[in-house]
């Protein structure tokens, strides 16, 4: 949380470590809602200008406002008027930039779900510290980043600090999905239609006609349409296809088991 009497950390540095990046994020995301927006955004850009241009920056000046508009046009990728963590990662020169590495490794929500299935080895619905270490190790190899065991441990702890919102030492699916840009994070689309365990069991049993414990892609398509209609949510066919593909990435040879679908539709996100 930002401290008004405290100098914003590290903005003057030519290159940041991941932990310094995290300190900056926490400083400016004053309300902890996952965005730098409103007065937080004004404060961030003002302090960034001071760090890069020196003293004498006047936020009320027309030239300053023009630079801020250009800045947002360049970095606010989804045009929502605020900065999310993945956008900040492209603004600041971060040495160990996990978020940009992650983009190279997992470019879509479908690939994200496939990666999740690989690293959630015990199918618990969480990636724990040891599983996260394996995930980051492969991530860094794919990005051709050199690291040793000490660095890997440091990276693992930093990612946990970034995304483990409830401090239980493991990452739920919705927490890990914050690595994705907002427009790719299909889990956000389900926040308004999440089910209780009783509701989930009822709808899964309805679509698992033969009672074999899994549904296929066609059944998932019908289930999702039904879910949206019952909750008076509008969704176009293209988006529905994307959501379906992302969820089917959790499946085992086209068989989507109860526990996998439950992760998406039933468990509350740790937001």
């Amino acid at each position: 949380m930002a401290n008004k009497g405290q100098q914003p950390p590290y903005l003057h540095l030519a290159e940041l470590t991941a932990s310094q990046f995290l300190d900056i994020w926490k400083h400016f995301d004053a309300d902890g809602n996952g965005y730098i927006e409103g007065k937080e955004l004004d404060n961030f850009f003002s302090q960034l200008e001071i760090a890069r241009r020196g003293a004498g920056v006047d936020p009320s000046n027309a030239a300053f406002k023009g630079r801020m508009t250009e800045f947002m046009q360049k970095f606010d990728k989804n045009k929502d008027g605020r900065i999310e963590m993945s956008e900040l990662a492209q603004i600041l020169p971060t040495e160990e930039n996990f978020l940009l590495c992650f983009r190279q490794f997992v470019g879509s929500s479908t690939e994200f779900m496939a990666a999740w299935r690989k690293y959630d080895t015990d199918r618990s619905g969480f990636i724990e510290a040891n599983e996260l270490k394996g995930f980051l190790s492969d991530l860094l190899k794919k990005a051709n980043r050199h690291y040793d065991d000490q660095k890997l441990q440091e990276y693992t702890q930093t990612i946990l600090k970034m995304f483990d919102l409830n401090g239980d030492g493991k990452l739920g699916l919705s927490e890990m999905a914050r690595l994705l840009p907002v427009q790719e994070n299909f889990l956000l689309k389900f926040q308004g239609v999440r089910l209780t365990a009783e509701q989930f069991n009822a709808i899964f049993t309805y679509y698992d006609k033969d009672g074999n414990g899994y549904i296929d892609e066609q059944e998932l398509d019908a289930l999702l349409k039904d879910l949206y209609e019952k909750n008076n949510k509008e969704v176009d066919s293209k988006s529905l296809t994307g959501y379906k593909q992302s969820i089917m990435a959790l499946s085992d040879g086209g068989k989507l088991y109860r526990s996998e679908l439950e992760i998406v539709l039933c468990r509350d996100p740790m937001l």
Side-chain angles (χ1 to χ4, degrees), residues 102 105-106 108-128 131-132 135 163 170-180 186-187 246-247 249-251 259-264 267 270:
F102 188 85
F105 186 52
V106 181
S108 71
S109 55
T110 303
E111 290 174 356
F112 169 81
M113 295 298 273
W116 176 270
R117 191 176 192 283
K118 177 180 177 182
Y119 291 100
D120 179 20
T121 52
D122 58 3
R123 297 290 179 269
S124 65
F126 297 93
I127 289 183
E128 298 176 30
E131 295 168 331
L132 178 60
F135 172 81
F163 296 107
K170 54 190 179 182
L171 298 176
L173 181 64
S174 57
E175 291 173 320
M176 199 70 173
R178 293 176 68 217
L179 282 163
L180 291 166
F186 77 101
L187 289 172
S246 298
I247 295 170
L250 288 171
S251 69
S259 58
E260 269 75 32
L261 186 58
E262 183 183 19
I263 292 171
V264 177
R267 292 184 181 164
M270 306 293 185

Side-chain angles (χ1 to χ4, degrees), residues 42-255:
D42 292 342
N43 183 33
F44 169 71
F45 186 69
S46 175
Q47 295 298 334
L48 187 65
E49 285 280 282
I50 290 170
R52 293 180 174 179
R53 294 173 178 267
V57 173
D58 179 7
S60 64
N61 184 282
F64 174 89
K65 291 180 178 177
R67 287 196 302 273
M68 186 169 179
T69 299
E70 289 175 15
F71 172 85
M72 291 300 288
Q73 286 173 345
K74 181 176 181 181
F75 292 109
D76 181 20
K77 300 298 182 185
N78 60 351
K79 309 300 180 191
D80 64 353
R82 52 191 184 176
I83 295 294
E84 61 192 82
M85 190 179 282
S86 56
E87 290 167 338
L88 183 65
Q90 300 190 52
I91 297 166
L92 301 176
T94 307
E95 177 194 2
E96 303 105 354
N97 200 327
F98 298 112
L99 298 171
L100 297 185
C101 283
F102 188 85
R103 292 291 177 76
Q104 294 165 10
F105 186 52
V106 181
S108 71
S109 55
T110 303
E111 290 174 356
F112 169 81
M113 295 298 273
W116 176 270
R117 191 176 192 283
K118 177 180 177 182
Y119 291 100
D120 179 20
T121 52
D122 58 3
R123 297 290 179 269
S124 65
F126 297 93
I127 289 183
E128 298 176 30
N130 61 326
E131 295 168 331
L132 178 60
K133 191 179 287 188
F135 172 81
L136 290 175
S137 177
D138 281 2
L139 178 67
L140 292 162
K141 284 175 188 171
K142 207 167 181 79
N144 294 316
R145 302 272 183 139
H146 175 73
Y147 65 93
D148 55 27
D149 286 342
Q150 186 177 347
K151 267 293 183 189
L152 185 59
Q153 183 63 28
E154 182 188 323
Y155 295 171
T156 302
Q157 291 306 311
T158 301
I159 286 288
L160 280 172
K161 286 177 186 173
M162 278 186 176
F163 296 107
D164 179 18
L165 299 184
N166 64 353
D168 61 0
K170 54 190 179 182
L171 298 176
L173 181 64
S174 57
E175 291 173 320
M176 199 70 173
R178 293 176 68 217
L179 282 163
L180 291 166
V182 167
Q183 64 269 33
E184 269 294 338
N185 189 347
F186 77 101
L187 289 172
L188 295 176
K189 311 298 187 297
F190 290 103
Q191 283 184 8
V193 295
R194 291 205 167 239
L195 305 171
T196 64
E198 188 178 349
Q199 289 170 330
F200 173 79
N201 286 332
I203 199 169
F204 190 91
T205 300
Y206 177 80
Y207 284 98
D208 178 21
K209 301 290 187 187
D210 53 9
N212 56 11
Y214 64 83
I215 59 176
D216 60 25
E217 190 167 346
Q218 285 183 317
E219 290 167 330
L220 177 63
D221 185 74
L223 185 154
L224 291 177
K225 285 178 181 174
D226 187 19
L227 198 57
Y228 270 88
E229 285 173 10
K230 283 182 177 176
N231 285 274
N232 297 316
K233 299 273 185 180
E234 291 185 9
V235 60
D236 58 78
S237 58
K238 183 179 178 182
S239 295
L240 193 65
T241 299
Y243 304 160
K244 182 175 64 178
Q245 288 174 345
S246 298
I247 295 170
M248 286 305 295
L250 288 171
S251 69
D252 184 3
K255 298 175 181 178

